[in-house]
Amino acid sequence: MQFQNDSYRISRSERDFLRMLFQRSPVIYCEFNRFLRLSYINQEGLSFSGCRPEEHIYRLADFIGPEKSLRTPWEEDHSRKSFIEVRIQSANGNSLYLNCLWWAIEHEGKFDGIACLGFDSTRHHQMMEELQKSNSQFKEFAQLLPETVFEIDMEGNFLFLNESSYKIFGYTKDDKINAFDLIVPEDQPRLKENIKKLLSGEAIKGNSYVARRKDGSTIPVLIYSDVKYQDGKPEGFRGFVVDISAIKQAEEALLESEEKYRSLTNRLPVGIYRTSREGKLLFANRAFINMLGYDSPEEIFAHPVQDFYSEPGEREKLLQYHEPGREYYQPEIHLKRKDGTQIIVKDRGKVYKSPDGQIYYDGIIEDITEPHQLEERLKQAEKLQAIGTLAGGIAHDFNNLILGMQLYTEMALKEAGNNNKLRKNLEKILLAQERGKQLLQQIVSFTNYPDDHREDINLKEMVSNILDLIKDTIPEAIDFNAELDDCGFVNVNPVHLHQIIQNLITNAIHAMEGKGRLSIVVRCAYADETQVKSGNENHPERYAIIHVEDSGCGISEKNINRIFEPFFTTKDVGLGTGLGLYIVHNLVKKYNGEIQVKSHPGEGTIMKIFLPLVTWYRPGIIHCTQSGEEIQW
Amino acid sequence: MKQILVVDDEKLVREGIQEALADEGYAVYTASNGNEAIKALQVFVPDVIITDIIMPEADGIEVLLHAKKLQPKPRIIAISGGGRISANDHLATARKLGADVILTKPFSIETLLEAIEKQ
């Protein structure tokens, strides 16, 4: 074996040549003697070691591959590597790594040391060590996890699978499994789609799939994975699989429970709500939405709750008394429905403060409009009853007193002769006693409805008779017109009909303050015109309309809802009893009729009374109107 | 001169009617309740009896029932201002029992004169 022919062996002179060549080069050049102790190092090597030249007591401490390969390169050339990594250790114990090309130095046919030419690989070596450490830590950690941790190649073959996976999926290490086959066929298209997205660089959060165990049973899983790259090329996937059976079950139980409470709250006949302090509606059940007349949750949630109060600022007024943690109760709140109508509700709830400091109002509202109205009516009825009883008790004495006053005043009038002033004053006394008499009659007649008496009355004839009686009370400056159609018979008490007509005409005259136009029309109508629900046996198809129209002062919007309330009057004290329209309303309702009011302030009022007809004239029969005109039905 | 008996427990009414009718030339006697009236009717029979219905002791109905038996028959005018039930109900009863005219209190002198003279 000749050295000259072997490039791995150099002679001492060749070594000297190399030493000279690399003395000041930017690569590290060093030599070790045959005992593998450092015998020379160049300038670069010095800065690499960080030591002074006299401290060069490095020895070749370690190297990759057996030491033997260094000592016997000429004996077994085939095992030799041209590049080795050596670890050299300084006196202070620091390890430094050198990745180098090396030669054996031969002298007189014997091994005389080695010459190395290379670069500092300490950092690279440390990184590799750390990576290995981290890899092994990761694997240990992955083994500890109760969920499946995996690493697969592009075909789905497992490169790593932790212990828990075998328990979860029921396989053993001997089973040959493909990762993609663990997903049920139904989810395969989605799996492929998601893999495509992952490879295109799209960030995908966990995907849920149904996986199959060895025994065929399935489990819902959530897979988090990412692409594993090698030299910029995808070489597989790694990630973990979470068994979400328990979560799914809890989710389903929660959904079921939520559904149960949602349907329960939606079936309850009370309105349930949650609002924020600022007035945002955060929850409302079906009854709440219906109560306020809205069609959908979206529609109602678009409104601040302040919109639902009849009086602006009402909510803020109420809220000032509400403190977190305290319950509240409002026995009567007036709310406004979508269509503008009012409802009265009872509101009960609690103020709640969330951990983040938000204040909520959780409560229940109950619609008490109807009971409230009934209560009001009952109160009014009781009031009237009390007044009636009182009036009945004093009526006898009161009428005697009025009669006495009347008789003496009339006698005094006779005596007054031509004393006009005295006559005028006495006539005023007579007027006052007449008003007293009427007031007493109204109250007594109202509380003493003779309910039993009813008869079939020809409406046209009856109204005509009533008008004859009251015509004289209509001032001359009022242009009065009556149009009475022969529409048929109504089954009422004639006294009540008289009261209805009398009250309507009297009110109209008062509204006109002595001048204007007043008309009364009696005609036939169908049920739909009355806006009474047809098909109800209490509401026959045919109605008679008594239409009274005046050109008086009208009724303001504020008052129009109150005109049928007992004792409600806009007349000056002593000029109206406030009972007229209340009596009309009650009588009309008593006969299953309807009453409608239309009024324009400053222009006049139309009152329409609908009374059910018991018999009416059949079509084809000719009848005459008041004016004598013949009409065909 | 027509003789008239006015029966009413209310002095104001009784005397008011008495004065008003006396002014018109009638001979007017008065009784303040049913018992007094029945006693008076045992002594004389007036042409017209004007009686209130509700009175203490004997009421107007008793006066009416008594007067119906008298000969010659007096004209009976029942008057009432009502009570716990309306005046009309009292008067309807009086009418059924034979009152010739019924008047609801209060009424004018003219109405009363018409009632007295109406045949």
Side-chain angles (χ1 to χ4, degrees):
Chain A
M1 202 178 286
Q2 295 299 310
F3 177 67
Q4 287 80 4
N5 298 333
D6 189 334
S7 59
Y8 304 123
R9 294 184 204 177
I10 54 171
S11 65
R12 276 187 177 180
S13 58
E14 282 169 320
R15 177 202 68 188
D16 292 344
F17 176 73
L18 283 174
R19 190 186 287 182
M20 188 193 71
L21 191 68
F22 293 110
Q23 192 176 7
R24 295 191 184 283
S25 79
V27 293
I28 298 167
Y29 176 77
C30 60
E31 294 166 11
F32 296 89
N33 63 17
R34 64 178 183 274
F35 306 108
L36 297 179
R37 293 191 79 87
L38 188 74
S39 54
Y40 172 80
I41 192 159
N42 71 348
Q43 280 297 317
E44 184 64 21
L46 275 175
S47 52
F48 160 69
S49 69
C51 297
R52 291 192 299 274
E54 61 270 25
E55 290 172 344
H56 287 165
I57 48 166
Y58 296 113
R59 68 183 187 86
L60 188 59
D62 204 0
F63 48 89
I64 308 303
E67 194 178 355
K68 193 180 156 199
S69 70
L70 280 176
R71 289 176 185 277
T72 59
W74 47 87
E75 289 164 13
E76 295 170 50
D77 280 348
H78 59 277
S79 66
R80 190 181 185 281
K81 286 182 180 170
S82 55
F83 267 96
I84 57 165
E85 186 173 56
V86 298
R87 178 166 70 93
I88 54 178
Q89 201 169 29
S90 67
N92 61 15
N94 283 338
S95 285
L96 299 168
Y97 292 86
L98 194 61
N99 207 345
C100 57
L101 187 68
W102 68 280
W103 300 266
I105 307 165
E106 187 192 33
H107 182 63
E108 294 173 349
K110 284 184 182 168
F111 175 69
D112 192 36
I114 56 170
C116 298
L117 182 67
F119 56 89
D120 176 11
S121 67
T122 311
R123 182 74 198 126
H124 172 74
H125 190 88
Q126 280 170 349
M127 277 170 67
M128 287 302 288
E129 264 186 354
E130 276 167 20
L131 187 66
Q132 270 179 358
K133 198 173 152 193
S134 141
N135 263 345
S136 104
Q137 270 179 347
F138 159 74
K139 283 187 178 164
E140 278 170 26
F141 185 64
Q143 293 296 3
L144 284 173
L145 281 175
E147 301 295 347
T148 302
V149 181
F150 68 88
E151 199 171 274
I152 55 170
D153 62 17
M154 296 300 284
E155 280 71 47
N157 300 310
F158 282 103
L159 304 173
F160 172 79
L161 203 51
N162 66 343
E163 289 296 330
S164 306
S165 327
Y166 296 103
K167 280 185 204 154
I168 293 167
F169 287 92
Y171 288 97
T172 63
K173 285 181 180 163
D174 300 330
D175 290 316
K176 198 153 174 62
I177 342 162
N178 182 288
F180 301 143
D181 293 344
L182 290 177
I183 302 298
V184 296
E186 295 84 349
D187 284 355
Q188 287 289 344
R190 208 155 46 83
L191 177 69
K192 281 178 187 151
E193 189 61 33
N194 286 333
I195 287 173
K196 228 186 259 176
K197 282 182 187 168
L198 260 182
L199 290 172
S200 71
E202 197 174 317
I204 305 177
K205 286 182 184 170
N207 281 302
S208 63
Y209 300 99
V210 176
R212 196 166 36 200
R213 290 198 189 92
K214 189 179 180 181
D215 64 5
S217 62
T218 56
I219 45 166
V221 294
L222 205 57
I223 301 180
Y224 294 89
S225 76
D226 208 352
V227 186
K228 197 178 128 199
Y229 290 96
Q230 177 75 38
D231 301 330
K233 275 186 177 173
E235 64 164 17
F237 304 92
R238 54 161 72 103
F240 58 94
V241 181
V242 184
D243 174 3
I244 54 168
S245 310
I247 298 172
K248 276 266 176 202
Q249 277 167 8
E251 219 170 63
E252 275 163 19
L254 187 68
L255 275 176
E256 198 181 314
S257 151
E258 265 183 17
E259 183 51 39
K260 194 164 80 187
Y261 287 108
R262 184 175 295 121
S263 76
L264 179 71
T265 55
N266 277 337
R267 276 201 304 265
L268 284 175
V270 292
I272 302 174
Y273 66 84
R274 166 175 280 192
T275 66
S276 72
R277 171 124 204 148
E278 294 70 36
K280 188 168 172 47
L281 187 61
L282 303 166
F283 174 82
N285 71 340
R286 176 55 51 196
F288 187 95
I289 299 167
N290 290 345
M291 227 177 261
L292 287 162
Y294 287 86
D295 299 322
S296 68
E298 294 75 26
E299 194 184 12
I300 200 165
F301 283 128
H303 289 266
V305 287
Q306 284 86 342
D307 284 5
F308 308 142
Y309 286 80
S310 295
E311 292 290 324
E314 177 78 2
R315 182 174 188 263
E316 281 62 37
K317 224 186 289 172
L318 296 173
L319 288 198
Q320 60 180 325
Y321 305 112
H322 298 168
E323 285 168 19
R326 286 183 67 173
E327 288 184 4
Y328 56 88
Y329 176 60
Q330 307 290 345
E332 194 181 313
I333 296 180
H334 292 252
L335 297 182
K336 195 168 60 183
R337 282 165 59 88
K338 184 184 163 191
D339 62 7
T341 55
Q342 280 201 3
I343 54 165
I344 302 163
V345 301
K346 202 156 72 178
D347 183 16
R348 185 189 292 277
K350 194 170 181 178
V351 188
Y352 167 70
K353 193 173 182 179
S354 72
D356 61 356
Q358 293 286 326
I359 289 176
Y360 300 115
Y361 299 86
D362 291 346
I364 290 173
I365 55 168
E366 196 181 332
D367 189 348
I368 52 160
T369 313
E370 216 179 300
H372 188 271
Q373 283 169 348
L374 276 175
E375 200 181 316
E376 280 298 304
R377 260 182 255 155
L378 194 67
K379 266 190 213 162
Q380 295 295 359
E382 279 173 357
K383 199 159 121 187
L384 276 175
Q385 192 64 44
I387 289 169
T389 309
L390 187 70
I394 63 164
H396 177 254
D397 295 337
F398 205 78
N399 279 328
N400 277 336
L401 290 174
I402 293 173
L403 177 58
M405 278 165 60
Q406 186 169 357
L407 293 174
Y408 282 104
T409 312
E410 283 180 4
M411 282 189 269
L413 260 172
K414 272 187 196 164
E415 296 294 322
N418 293 329
N419 187 339
N420 284 342
K421 195 173 178 206
L422 181 62
R423 290 190 72 85
K424 219 171 167 185
N425 289 345
L426 289 168
E427 276 162 6
K428 278 184 184 165
I429 295 174
L430 279 182
L431 269 177
Q433 68 85 22
E434 179 63 24
R435 201 169 290 144
K437 178 177 131 185
Q438 280 175 5
L439 173 61
L440 196 64
Q441 268 174 2
Q442 290 267 38
I443 296 173
V444 172
S445 72
F446 178 73
T447 50
N448 287 304
Y449 277 152
D451 265 0
D452 46 348
H453 180 75
R454 282 190 187 198
E455 54 189 89
D456 287 353
I457 290 169
N458 182 317
L459 192 63
K460 179 192 163 183
E461 280 176 15
M462 188 69 197
V463 173
S464 180
N465 290 341
I466 295 167
L467 290 179
D468 282 345
L469 284 173
I470 60 177
K471 229 179 239 172
D472 293 341
T473 63
I474 301 172
E476 278 179 18
I478 289 177
D479 175 15
F480 178 68
N481 180 44
E483 251 179 71
L484 311 175
D485 281 358
D486 210 348
C487 55
F489 288 80
V490 287
N491 185 258
V492 295
N493 183 328
V495 175
H496 292 164
L497 192 63
H498 192 286
Q499 272 184 305
I500 292 170
I501 307 280
Q502 168 101 53
N503 277 317
L504 293 181
I505 299 281
T506 307
N507 275 356
I509 292 169
H510 283 154
M512 289 190 289
E513 290 171 346
K515 56 177 194 274
R517 286 183 321 279
L518 169 63
S519 70
I520 178 165
V521 175
V522 171
R523 62 181 176 86
C524 186
Y526 289 94
D528 52 356
E529 197 182 338
T530 69
Q531 293 171 355
V532 177
K533 199 180 168 190
S534 192
N536 183 335
E537 61 178 6
N538 291 327
H539 297 291
E541 291 285 319
R542 294 258 190 161
Y543 283 76
I545 302 183
I546 303 166
H547 175 122
V548 177
E549 186 170 354
D550 67 62
S551 61
C553 58
I555 306 160
S556 73
E557 205 177 316
K558 194 179 93 193
N559 288 337
I560 202 147
N561 289 330
R562 302 193 57 199
I563 57 170
F564 299 124
E565 286 179 16
F567 303 108
F568 176 77
T569 179
T570 55
K571 291 172 195 162
D572 290 340
V573 175
L575 291 182
T577 61
L579 283 172
L581 283 178
Y582 177 66
I583 290 171
V584 170
H585 184 258
N586 279 278
L587 289 175
V588 170
K589 287 286 172 190
K590 177 186 167 86
Y591 293 116
N592 291 326
E594 279 292 317
I595 182 161
Q596 289 174 5
V597 194
K598 237 188 229 173
S599 187
H600 297 286
E603 290 176 27
T605 304
I606 300 170
M607 302 284 282
K608 280 185 185 179
I609 307 288
F610 296 84
L611 289 173
L613 283 168
V614 280
T615 53
W616 55 87
Y617 296 108
R618 301 281 184 276
I621 301 169
I622 293 171
H623 288 275
C624 295
T625 61
Q626 174 90 340
S627 56
E629 183 193 356
E630 281 190 350
I631 53 158
Q632 185 92 24
W633 282 71
Chain B
M1 187 190 286
K2 270 189 182 166
Q3 288 186 322
I4 297 175
L5 175 64
V6 177
V7 193
D8 201 304
D9 58 324
E10 180 59 52
K11 192 176 176 221
L12 182 72
V13 173
R14 194 169 65 236
E15 291 181 353
I17 293 175
Q18 185 184 27
E19 272 190 52
L21 295 183
D23 282 356
E24 297 295 325
Y26 296 103
V28 189
Y29 305 90
T30 62
S32 60
N33 61 51
N35 279 345
E36 266 185 32
I38 291 164
K39 275 183 196 162
L41 290 172
Q42 285 166 355
V43 181
F44 85 114
V45 178
D47 300 297
V48 180
I49 301 171
I50 300 172
T51 180
D52 187 20
I53 305 289
I54 304 167
M55 287 181 291
E57 302 186 36
D59 60 21
I61 301 293
E62 281 185 55
V63 176
L64 198 144
L65 292 173
H66 186 83
K68 291 302 284 179
K69 298 176 199 157
L70 295 175
Q71 283 298 334
K73 279 184 182 172
R75 182 169 176 75
I76 302 167
I77 300 171
I79 58 173
S80 178
R84 290 212 176 274
I85 58 168
S86 79
N88 289 335
D89 295 325
H90 291 300
L91 292 172
T93 312
R95 170 76 107 184
K96 277 180 191 159
L97 294 174
D100 297 288
V101 181
I102 51 175
L103 289 180
T104 308
K105 286 180 185 174
F107 44 76
S108 66
I109 297 173
E110 197 185 340
T111 310
L112 185 61
L113 291 174
E114 266 179 33
I116 292 167
E117 296 302 331
K118 205 173 168 184
Q119 289 304 319

